[in-house]
Amino acid sequence: MRRHRSAPARTAALLLAACWIAACAASGPTWPTDDSLTIALESAPINLDPRIGTDQASARVCELVLSGLVRKDPNGNLLPDLAQRWEILDDGLRYRFHLTENIAFHDGEPLAAEDVAWTYQSLVDGTVTSAKRGAFQMVERVEAVDELVVDFVLSRPHGALLADLTSEQGVIRAGTTPQESNALLVGTGPFRFVRRTPETVTLEPNEGYRRGAPRLDRVVLREIPDSTVRALELRKGSVQLIVNGLTPDQVPSFRDDPAYRVVATPGSNYVYLGLNLDDPILAVREVRRAMAMAIDREQLVETLRRGLARVTETMMPEGHWAWDEELESIPYDVDGARRLLDEAGFPDPDGDGPEPRFTLTYKTSTNEESLLQAQIVQSMLAEAGIGIDIRSYEFATFYTDIKQGNFQLFSLTWTGVIDPHIYNLVLHSASIPPAGANRGRYRNPEFDRLIEAGSRLSDPVARKPFYVEAQRILADDLPYISLYHKVNVAVMAAELEGYRNYLSGELYSVAEMYWKR
């Protein structure tokens, strides 16, 4: 449902919240006396089944409850997890994983190769309808060789397979339905699922975890949609950790307070504008180019993010092996944007008057920063004569519309960008929903060919030229308008130890956290 609030009411609410926060800051936080941790999330998980859930909150739960065949380190490198080792056979057409012995699910049942095979085969053969299926389109079958060996048989070599086998797409027990996983997620990770309410997910330590049981007795993931309320709860002490969930304006006050610790590191979370290329206006490439030219992204980063982001031309983060360091930047040029729109057949009907050339609907969630970004983009595009009608919804409603392609324009963040194979899932023509997450219906055969060729290779040096060329095609076609990569910012109680930022804000290090008392 769209929300409306008058300016006086909003101002009063902000002033009241500021007073509450100031009062909490004056009195100091009251931290838990037990070994529990409450983490604030912007939204509640939508679906806990790792094959179904594609939202960030669901991924955060899976990171703590499930294990994948491989795991990430803080720099995005892939390390053994459920698989102690693997080998590539048959000229790259078979990946054989040797499982670690004596691993059990949280209910005590032993993990076997059958569980791994069933989890991924249910995606591959369409038993479970999922947008994640596109990431496995080159997998013909997954089969258990014996109790501790599982094979992924490919239709063609696929060097990016490992990146899709982390805990976000972790292993569940054979035969588990999506409904069962969503109600009671059972995994082999450091924490076990205890209960779920509409606003919270409660976890407790897996005492039999193979790398040692977590030192926290309880972890609660709590939905707090409003960033002001998240800050207030952190000030009170009822929340003790927020990762990428505070506005840039809120961070400095915590950095200056000895009761808190702020960890800020470069990240790979990619913020973009998504466009529906089946829309008759947005199908015109010159319109998309004009929109990109009319958005002052440097100003957007400085005003919205207070410098806690880096403008980007591509989904690949700076320094990544596939990043195209020579990719030409799209300049901020409002006059050039106007000329492009004129040439594309969208003249300004009244010159410098208020009438727009056309109006697009921009869908967003009710998240405060997302709304502010929409308003800034709206103002910038207006300078080129493009009207923007902002419509905000609760996240679940908003996200359902995006997945169904019910939009003209939207903004979201792709998290977990560790391999350019993500392009196959989000922009390959074969990944148009429900087969994948190409929600804007982008189609370019040459782009498809390049990313398919790149995915067949395992050596990053050999793969890079294909992805460099693919990025240049995207920079020309603009199915997305790239905005920026966020800096990861975690704010927590100063007495908490063991936290480390991961590239996409993942919560893996919660398993290593403890209270210093």
Side-chain angles (χ1 to χ4, degrees), residues 121-413:
Q121 182 62 31
S122 64
L123 274 174
V124 170
D125 63 18
T127 297
V128 174
T129 302
S130 170
K132 293 184 177 182
R133 185 181 182 186
F136 296 92
Q137 57 185 311
M138 75 300 301
V139 179
E140 288 188 345
R141 65 185 184 277
V142 188
E143 54 191 22
V145 178
D146 61 31
E147 283 293 310
L148 293 174
V149 177
V150 62
D151 282 0
F152 283 68
V153 181
L154 312 182
S155 60
R156 62 178 187 269
H158 179 52
L161 178 64
L162 295 178
D164 294 316
L165 302 178
T166 61
S167 61
E168 294 98 313
Q169 181 44 65
V171 174
I172 56 179
R173 189 164 44 238
T176 308
T177 67
Q179 294 77 17
E180 289 169 339
S181 278
N182 190 40
L184 178 61
L185 184 62
V186 178
T188 60
F191 292 92
R192 62 182 183 85
F193 178 91
V194 177
R195 72 182 65 90
R196 181 183 186 184
T197 71
E199 293 82 26
T200 64
V201 173
T202 300
L203 311 176
E204 291 181 355
N206 172 12
E207 298 297 340
Y209 187 55
R210 56 198 173 278
R211 282 191 284 274
R215 295 168 67 173
L216 295 169
D217 291 338
R218 183 175 68 257
V219 172
V220 178
L221 304 171
R222 177 182 166 196
E223 179 193 29
I224 306 177
D226 187 272
S227 65
T228 300
V229 178
R230 287 195 292 273
L232 171 64
E233 297 295 336
L234 186 58
R235 286 290 183 192
K236 289 166 55 180
S238 52
V239 162
Q240 302 91 46
L241 173 64
I242 301 178
V243 181
N244 295 337
L246 294 176
T247 67
D249 283 337
Q250 294 167 331
V251 172
S253 66
F254 290 100
R255 185 179 281 125
D256 297 335
D257 190 327
Y260 301 91
R261 184 157 59 95
V262 176
V263 179
T265 56
S268 63
N269 290 340
Y270 166 77
V271 181
Y272 65 99
L273 292 182
L275 313 169
N276 189 336
L277 273 62
D278 280 349
D279 181 86
I281 296 175
L282 294 172
V284 180
R285 187 185 319 187
E286 289 77 12
V287 169
R288 304 194 296 272
R289 178 81 181 184
M291 292 173 64
M293 293 169 65
I295 298 173
D296 187 343
R297 294 174 296 162
E298 294 289 353
Q299 182 182 354
L300 182 65
V301 163
E302 288 305 314
T303 56
L304 179 71
R305 296 291 303 169
R306 296 295 186 261
L308 293 174
R310 302 188 69 167
V311 170
T312 185
E313 308 299 328
T314 172
M315 189 182 298
M316 295 296 107
E318 185 173 344
H320 190 281
W321 62 262
W323 177 59
D324 180 8
E325 61 273 14
E326 297 180 3
L327 191 61
E328 185 177 346
S329 297
I330 296 177
Y332 170 57
D333 183 358
V334 177
D335 289 338
R338 294 188 187 112
R339 288 193 296 272
L340 265 182
L341 292 170
D342 288 341
E343 294 167 3
F346 297 96
D348 195 322
D350 58 352
D352 293 331
E355 291 296 318
R357 300 168 186 267
F358 52 81
T359 298
L360 300 172
T361 298
Y362 182 136
K363 290 191 174 182
T364 183
S365 71
T366 53
N367 172 270
E368 183 177 344
E369 185 174 331
S370 299
L371 272 172
L372 183 56
Q373 175 176 289
Q375 292 161 0
I376 294 172
V377 170
Q378 178 188 51
S379 177
M380 291 176 174
L381 292 178
E383 292 297 312
I386 298 173
I388 295 294
D389 176 20
I390 299 173
R391 299 185 184 180
S392 61
Y393 305 85
E394 297 294 343
F395 184 81
T397 302
F398 160 70
Y399 195 55
T400 296
D401 273 358
I402 302 310
K403 290 191 296 182
Q404 293 177 348
N406 184 21
F407 63 86
Q408 284 182 296
L409 179 67
F410 73 92
S411 182
L412 271 174
T413 301

Side-chain angles (χ1 to χ4, degrees), residues 473-493:
I473 289 175
L474 294 181
D476 187 47
D477 283 352
L478 292 173
Y480 288 171
I481 295 177
S482 295
L483 297 179
Y484 51 84
H485 282 108
K486 291 182 178 180
V487 169
N488 289 318
V489 181
V491 183
M492 69 203 75

